[in-house]
Amino acid sequence: MDETNKTEFFAYRFILETLPPRGTNPDKYLAFCKEAVEQGAQIIAVTDLPMGSARVSPIAPAHMLVGMGLEVLMHFSRTTRNAIRIEGDLIAAHMLGIKNLLILSGDDPRVGTYPFSSSIEDFSIYDVFKLTKLLNEKGEDLAGLKIFGSFSFNAGGVFSPFEKDLNQTLERMELKMQNGCQFFVSQPIFNSETILKLFEKSEAEELFRRTKIYIALMVFESFQQLEHYSKVPGVFVPKEYFRQKNDAHLEQYSIHQCISIIEKLAPYVHGFYLTSTTKKMETIKTISDAVVSQY
C-alpha cells in the first residue's frame, strides 16, 4: 500500500456522502460536490446503487471528482456484481485513480427499481477485502493469477453498534481487518451512548487501536424522510425524533444531536461521516465546523 495516499486520506476528519446522478449529465452533481468541499467537506463519498435504485455506477462520478483534485471515497457493493465483475470493476476503478473504497454487501436490489433483480453471493465480504489486499501486496487475484501493475487500495468497511451481541460485531470487524480492511464507518447513530457501550468493551479497545473509526450521522429535514429511513434495516431511530413538532423542529433537533455526538465521541474516533440526507450547504458547513473544532 502506498503510505503517502494512506496518510493523506486519514488526515481528513469529515466525510460527506452523496448520491450520484440518475442521468448522463454530471454538471449539477459535480458543482454540488465542489461547493460542499468549499463549505468544509473534506472527503466526498459516492454511493453505489443506494436502496437498490438504478443510478449511474459510482465509478464514473468518482473518477470525475478525482480529476477535479477532490478526495474521494467510493462505495463498492458486492451483491450486485458476480465474481468476475467485482475483480474487473476494482481494476477499472484503480486504473481511473479511485483508490479509497468503502466495501459493502450493498442494499437488497429487490427493494429498489427492479424487484426481480437477484442478489449475487459469489464472493463474501471477506473475499472482496482479501482481493484488494492480494492486489496491493502481491499483484494477484484470488485465483492466484498475476494482475499487472501496482495497486494501492485503501479499503474500508462498515460496522453496526446495534447488535445484541457486540462480541459478534467485534469478531466481524477483526475478520475484515485480517483480510485487508483498513478503516470502518459505523451505521448511522443518534446518541453517543450507543457507540460508547462498544468502546467500553475491553476487546474493542485493543481492536480500535489498530484501525480508524468514522461515525455516521444523519440530519432529517422532514418527517417523510424520517419515516423512510427508519424502515431501513440496521437503522434505529430514537422516538424523540418522531416527537418533534414539525419538519423545521425535526431538522434543528437532528443538527443539535449531530453536534452533541461529535463533541462526545471526537476523543474516541478518527472522524465523522454525514449521510446524504441533506444537501443544504448551511447544514454541511455547520457539521463541518463542529467536526473541525474538535481536532
Side-chain angles (χ1 to χ4, degrees):
M1 163 110 196
D2 185 324
E3 289 298 323
T4 301
N5 289 342
K6 184 177 179 181
T7 301
E8 183 180 9
F9 178 87
F10 290 136
Y12 299 130
R13 303 289 190 169
F14 180 45
I15 304 171
L16 176 67
E17 181 182 271
T18 64
L19 297 175
R22 199 192 298 271
T24 60
N25 189 336
D27 294 348
K28 185 177 180 180
Y29 172 77
L30 297 177
F32 167 80
C33 292
K34 183 176 182 294
E35 185 177 358
V37 169
E38 292 170 352
Q39 295 299 319
Q42 297 173 319
I43 300 171
I44 299 295
V46 186
T47 53
D48 186 6
L49 309 181
M51 301 299 292
S53 63
R55 293 175 178 268
V56 64
S57 164
I59 294 178
H63 171 58
M64 293 176 182
L65 292 171
V66 169
M68 292 167 59
L70 304 185
E71 196 71 25
V72 175
L73 173 64
M74 189 185 82
H75 288 205
F76 190 89
S77 300
R78 68 176 179 87
T79 55
T80 52
R81 297 174 168 94
N82 67 13
I84 299 171
R85 179 58 64 191
I86 285 174
E87 184 168 321
D89 283 354
L90 284 174
I91 297 171
H94 201 284
M95 182 184 290
L96 294 173
I98 305 161
K99 302 176 182 179
N100 301 319
L101 303 175
L102 188 64
I103 296 175
L104 312 152
S105 288
D107 294 324
D108 189 340
R110 293 171 295 183
V111 302
T113 307
Y114 299 111
F116 56 82
S117 295
S118 58
S119 184
I120 304 169
E121 298 288 345
D122 286 1
F123 282 164
S124 72
I125 195 74
Y126 308 110
D127 291 329
V128 184
F129 279 113
K130 188 175 181 179
L131 177 55
T132 63
K133 185 177 182 180
L134 285 171
L135 290 170
N136 281 351
E137 296 178 355
K138 296 184 177 182
E140 67 179 39
D141 63 14
L142 289 168
L145 298 175
K146 179 68 177 176
I147 306 297
F148 297 98
S150 177
F151 291 87
S152 54
F153 283 120
N154 175 34
V158 297
F159 75 98
S160 173
F162 299 108
E163 297 178 27
K164 292 182 179 179
D165 188 349
L166 293 177
N167 287 326
Q168 288 188 0
T169 298
L170 296 173
E171 288 171 5
R172 281 193 283 269
M173 292 175 75
E174 178 65 45
L175 191 53
K176 287 180 181 181
M177 290 169 63
Q178 291 174 6
N179 283 280
C181 182
Q182 299 168 52
F183 66 94
F184 289 92
V185 175
S186 76
Q187 291 284 3
I189 71 166
F190 302 94
N191 59 67
S192 55
E193 288 72 23
T194 300
I195 200 81
L196 286 173
K197 289 180 181 178
L198 182 62
F199 291 163
E200 289 170 356
K201 294 186 69 66
S202 58
E203 300 91 338
E205 185 177 353
E206 189 275 332
L207 184 148
F208 290 160
R209 279 201 299 266
R210 296 183 284 113
T211 189
K212 306 291 184 183
I213 302 292
Y214 293 83
I215 298 299
L217 307 169
M218 277 186 166
V219 172
F220 296 111
E221 297 173 346
S222 69
F223 276 94
Q224 181 181 8
Q225 192 181 53
L226 173 61
E227 292 284 352
H228 175 73
Y229 274 92
S230 66
K231 297 175 183 177
V232 175
V235 174
F236 299 90
V237 185
K239 294 179 181 179
E240 286 76 12
Y241 283 79
F242 294 89
R243 293 171 179 161
Q244 301 306 305
K245 294 180 180 179
N246 51 43
D247 288 352
H249 280 84
L250 173 63
E251 182 177 5
Q252 289 305 309
Y253 180 77
S254 295
I255 293 171
H256 173 78
Q257 287 297 102
C258 286
I259 293 173
S260 175
I261 291 168
I262 290 166
E263 292 173 346
K264 292 178 181 178
L265 294 186
Y268 303 93
V269 302
H270 196 78
F272 295 86
Y273 179 107
L274 182 61
T275 62
S276 56
T277 47
T278 183
K279 291 185 178 180
K280 292 183 179 179
M281 290 299 160
E282 182 181 355
T283 300
I284 293 170
K285 179 170 172 50
T286 297
I287 302 299
S288 171
D289 289 346
V291 173
V292 172
S293 70
Q294 297 298 315
Y295 295 101

